[in-house]
Structure formats: C-alpha cells, structure tokens
Amino acid sequence: MRIAIDAMGGDNAPKIVVEGALAAAKEWKDVHIILVGNSAAIEAHLTERPANLTIRHTEEIIEAEDEPVKAVRRKKDSSMVVAGRLVREKEAEAMISAGNTGALMTTGLLVVGRIPGIERPALASMIPTLDGNGVLALDLGANMDATAEHLLQYAIMGSIYRSKVDGITKPRVGLMNVGTEATKGNELTKTAYPLLEQAPIHFVGNVESSQVLRAKCDVIVCDGFAGNIMLKSLEGAASAIFSALKQEFTKTIFTKLAAAVLKPGLTLFRKRFDPNEHGAAPLLGIDGLVLKSHGSSDANAIKNAVRQARIALQNDLVGTISAEISHGKRDITT
C-alpha cells in the first residue's frame, strides 16, 4: 500500500510530518510511504531511513495564503500537486496533506479527478462523541452550497465509509436540521428528507446539532456552510471549556488538589476529543484516497492519518464507492 504524504504542508512542516511518517513506516511494514517535498528539508529531520520510506523531491510549496485554483495550476512541481499526480498515475494509492485545504480540494478535483457519477466530493470529518465511537459529518466545507441530490450522495458515501473503515454493520445516517420532525428545516432539508428515506441506507431522520455529541447517528449530512459552522462551534466550545476548567483548577490549593485527583480522568476525556487522535478527514468522491490532516497536526496525527489510510485501502473504500455509485449497484438517481 503506497501512501504519498505532502511533507511540506501544514503549520509544522516538514519536521512534524516527517516524524509522523517515520513512526508510521516503522509500525506498519505493509505500507510504503512516499514523502513528497524538498529532499534536503526532509532528510534534515530523518533520524533513520526504513526500507518502506522513500522521498520524491519537489521544488515548490503551496502556501496557506495561496489562492487554491491558481496555486494548483501554476505550481505543478509543488509537493501537494505531485502527491496528487502520484495517486492519479497509480504510483500511490492514497495521499495525505496537512496543507492548504482549498488547494487540496482543487488537487482532488483537477489532478486526481472525481469518481464517475459523483457530482461534488465531500470533506468528511470524524466528530468525537460521548460513547467514543464518533460521528462522521459531511460535508464540512468542500462545498458551501449543496442540492438535495448532493446530500443523498454524501449520505451513501458516508455510510460506505463507516461500514468499510469503522466496521459498523448498519450505519445510522441522520440529516442535520433545526428539529427532528420531517417537516422542519429549509427547502434543502425538506427536499432531501424523502430522498434519504428512499435511499439504500439506514436513515434515522433529522438530527439536531445539539444531539451530535450524544451519538444519535453514525453519519450526519449537511451542506458545507452549515457543517463548517457546526465543526468550528464545537471546536471553539471544547477549547473554551478546557480553558475554563484549567483556570478553576488552579485558583486555590484546594482546587489544585482536586485537579490532581481528577487528572487521569480529565486526561482521558481530553484525549477523546483531541482531533489528533482521529487522523484525517477523507475527501469522499475522489477517484483515489485523499486525506486532509489538520493544519496544526502533530506527529501522532500524521501517524494516525496513515493508519486511517491503511484501513481504507485494505477495505477498498474508493473501489466500493465507485462500484456502488458509478456502476449502479446503488440507485442514487432521483
């Protein structure tokens, strides 16, 4: 399983990316990692060179502030574009990047290409839940607008992902809405609801965003605008809660003693909601496995992204989506 990693993408590249890739290469010998980027910069952080890790040298870097479409079209020798080209030309089965999100979406569309029959790929991210199983939310920002047919495709792809990657036999799919009644919502959700009811998925109806962390479903679908707002709201709330707890637990000697007693439980709780533990967000609907890591990913997050890619490849995620959607095994027409 050949996995190309954009070594120059992310806030802490290439050091953190190289460290995570090296850890993954040492743990999973059935994976061959291709670090794509400036070879001198990469080698400066390579403490050893396992046989299943190689470097593909590139000269250019897509920066965080670059305009996505222009960057992908003009910087053809950038680490991100070359990684995408490796997937398109079947020199790699997957690519991972913590770089410019918009540029990665563009790379997926223009360089790797869509699965036939998929109108718009979706960015899917795992949101941690109280039961520890998480909920896959899509779309979280690949497309700000969506049609009911797009939500239908998101639901089917998300259901396949949870089945293939997470081993859930019958994933529960919910439609994010402002109420649980079928008649609630805007025109988009009202139109999408009957399509999801008729789809070959386990549709559980509308799910309010306040119920996402309580694991009311395994997959939740929405347009990218609403999904991105939900994700950032949850991230902001979690950060604020942990900051408030820290302040309270350091106020007096008594609260510090209480914090010492509670520390093991709080550490586990924080780990459960740490995005670095969940790997990366797949761009579903692309004709190759493309994973987006958080820009501030640490080495553990990069390693977990490789783990996630490895599982998806072992279970032929992209092939299954292509077969069940493009080749008519699942009827998604309206």
Side-chain angles (χ1 to χ4, degrees):
M1 291 177 283
R2 298 165 298 176
I3 301 174
I5 301 180
D6 173 13
M8 314 309 290
D11 301 342
N12 305 304
K15 182 178 184 295
I16 292 300
V17 179
V18 172
E19 289 177 0
L22 183 57
K26 289 165 67 176
E27 178 154 345
W28 299 296
K29 299 301 182 182
D30 58 351
V31 167
H32 184 94
I33 292 176
I34 307 168
L35 281 171
V36 185
N38 183 279
S39 56
I42 292 170
E43 288 171 350
H45 301 289
L46 268 180
T47 55
E48 54 185 297
R49 191 75 168 266
N52 60 334
L53 188 150
T54 56
I55 298 172
R56 177 66 65 96
H57 177 71
T58 61
E59 293 286 347
E60 296 179 299
I61 301 172
I62 292 181
E63 306 289 353
E65 63 274 10
D66 283 349
E67 197 283 319
V69 177
K70 289 181 180 178
V72 170
R73 286 178 172 167
R74 294 177 181 176
K75 295 185 176 181
K76 297 186 183 299
D77 192 43
S78 64
S79 53
M80 184 184 293
V81 172
V82 171
R85 201 154 58 236
L86 290 177
V87 175
R88 183 190 69 197
E89 296 172 358
K90 310 303 180 186
E91 293 183 52
E93 285 75 48
M95 71 167 287
I96 298 168
S97 177
N100 184 314
T101 302
L104 184 62
M105 305 300 172
T106 305
T107 297
L109 286 169
L110 300 185
V111 179
V112 182
R114 289 177 296 177
I115 291 174
I118 293 293
E119 293 185 29
R120 291 188 184 180
L123 185 64
S125 182
M126 192 67 72
I127 294 176
T129 54
L130 294 176
D131 65 356
N133 293 323
V135 57
L136 186 73
L138 64 166
D139 178 29
L140 292 184
N143 311 284
M144 289 298 106
D145 298 307
T147 65
E149 288 75 17
H150 296 155
L151 296 188
L152 173 61
Q153 292 189 346
Y154 298 167
I156 293 173
M157 291 192 294
S159 181
I160 293 172
Y161 182 92
R162 298 267 12 212
S163 175
K164 289 292 183 179
V165 177
D166 299 323
I168 300 175
T169 304
K170 196 176 180 182
R172 299 163 298 158
V173 180
L175 174 64
M176 192 170 77
N177 211 329
V178 295
T180 58
E181 299 88 350
T183 55
K184 285 287 185 73
N186 55 17
E187 287 303 313
L188 173 62
T189 57
K190 289 177 183 178
T191 306
Y193 194 99
L195 296 183
L196 296 175
E197 277 189 311
Q198 298 165 18
I201 57 174
H202 180 33
F203 181 53
V204 295
N206 290 328
V207 175
E208 296 182 26
S209 58
S210 61
Q211 297 298 307
V212 170
L213 299 184
R214 297 185 180 277
K216 294 295 182 181
C217 56
D218 303 301
V219 178
I220 189 163
V221 296
C222 53
D223 63 79
F225 185 79
N228 196 266
I229 290 175
M230 175 186 67
L231 178 65
K232 290 178 179 176
S233 296
L234 290 173
E235 289 177 342
S239 177
I241 289 169
F242 284 122
S243 295
L245 285 173
K246 185 176 181 179
Q247 290 177 357
E248 291 299 322
F249 280 130
T250 55
K251 277 186 175 180
T252 68
I253 185 64
F254 299 108
T255 57
K256 288 178 181 179
L257 288 172
V261 174
L262 294 171
K263 185 176 180 180
L266 289 172
T267 300
L268 289 173
F269 179 75
R270 182 164 194 148
K271 186 177 181 179
R272 184 188 299 176
F273 286 87
D274 184 357
N276 289 322
E277 295 293 325
H278 297 277
L283 186 58
L284 299 179
I286 296 298
D287 197 17
L289 188 60
V290 178
L291 295 168
K292 172 67 176 75
S293 289
H294 202 284
S296 60
S297 292
D298 60 14
N300 189 47
I302 300 300
K303 179 184 175 182
N304 282 326
V306 173
R307 170 187 54 76
Q308 190 177 356
R310 180 174 175 266
I311 295 171
L313 292 174
Q314 286 175 330
N315 290 282
D316 192 22
L317 172 67
V318 174
T320 302
I321 292 176
S322 179
E324 298 202 24
I325 290 183
S326 302
H327 303 159
K329 290 185 180 179
R330 290 198 188 207
D331 183 11
I332 61 168
T333 60
T334 57

